[in-house]
Amino acid sequence: MFSKTCEYGIRAAIFIASESYQNKRVGLKEVAKKIDSPEAFTAKIMQILTKNKLIDSNKGVGGGFEIPLDRISKIKISQLVNALEGDRVFTGCGLGLSDCSEEHPCPIHDKFKAIRNGLSEMLETTTLEELALGLKSGDTFLRY
């Protein structure tokens, strides 16, 4: 459903948020290892999330990635997806056709629209805080 960029980006944000709850900044190597992503690819994802002000990056000794605690509860997963993929997940055709629309639907348009709307609602109503707290408590995991 999501691109690898988006999958890794969501995982990274969850991990960074869970570490931020412990007042820890995490470096690129640690993020890449924790989310099982190549380091160079993770660096590009971190640039996107930083540029979109979803995570903070601090350079130098004691630096790393973090998310201020007051911001974690306000970040919706839809914001991460939008920063990493644009609105394709929320508006795109299930078959990837560029001309699919209400007036000119693809064969799965109506059925996929319901799925896409459900996904959109879930992403809009799920906060980074919910997911990070699940990781912190041990109820969820990021790596298999």
Side-chain angles (χ1 to χ4, degrees):
M1 174 83 32
F2 297 121
S3 69
K4 281 292 181 193
T5 300
C6 194
E7 289 175 7
Y8 289 143
I10 293 170
R11 287 186 209 169
I14 294 168
F15 174 62
I16 293 165
S18 71
E19 293 296 297
S20 293
Y21 277 120
Q22 298 173 43
N23 295 316
K24 294 181 184 174
R25 289 184 182 142
V26 291
L28 178 62
K29 288 179 191 245
E30 188 177 359
V31 173
K33 182 177 179 182
K34 185 67 177 183
I35 67 170
D36 200 23
S37 169
E39 196 173 315
F41 191 40
T42 304
K44 290 179 184 181
I45 293 167
M46 295 296 95
Q47 282 181 322
I48 294 167
L49 295 177
T50 301
K51 179 181 172 195
N52 282 274
K53 299 183 183 343
L54 295 167
I55 63 169
D56 290 352
S57 175
N58 299 285
K59 297 181 188 222
V61 177
F65 298 105
E66 67 180 343
I67 304 171
L69 298 181
D70 64 329
R71 208 177 337 144
I72 296 172
S73 65
K74 295 178 180 109
I75 296 173
K76 307 282 187 206
I77 302 307
S78 61
Q79 292 174 269
L80 298 169
V81 172
N82 205 24
L84 296 162
E85 293 202 1
D87 67 352
R88 182 182 64 80
V89 169
F90 307 104
T91 61
C93 170
L95 296 177
L97 303 174
S98 59
D99 294 334
C100 180
S101 66
E102 291 292 323
E103 297 79 34
H104 192 241
C106 75
I108 66 166
H109 182 80
D110 291 329
K111 289 184 181 212
F112 187 73
K113 186 168 98 174
I115 293 167
R116 187 182 62 218
N117 290 345
L119 176 64
S120 180
E121 181 181 336
M122 184 271 295
L123 296 171
E124 283 289 332
T125 59
T126 303
T127 65
L128 185 56
E129 178 180 54
E130 282 179 67
L131 304 181
L133 291 177
L135 184 64
K136 186 178 172 206
S137 70
D139 292 337
T140 59
F141 67 96
L142 286 177
R143 195 168 176 189
Y144 35 86

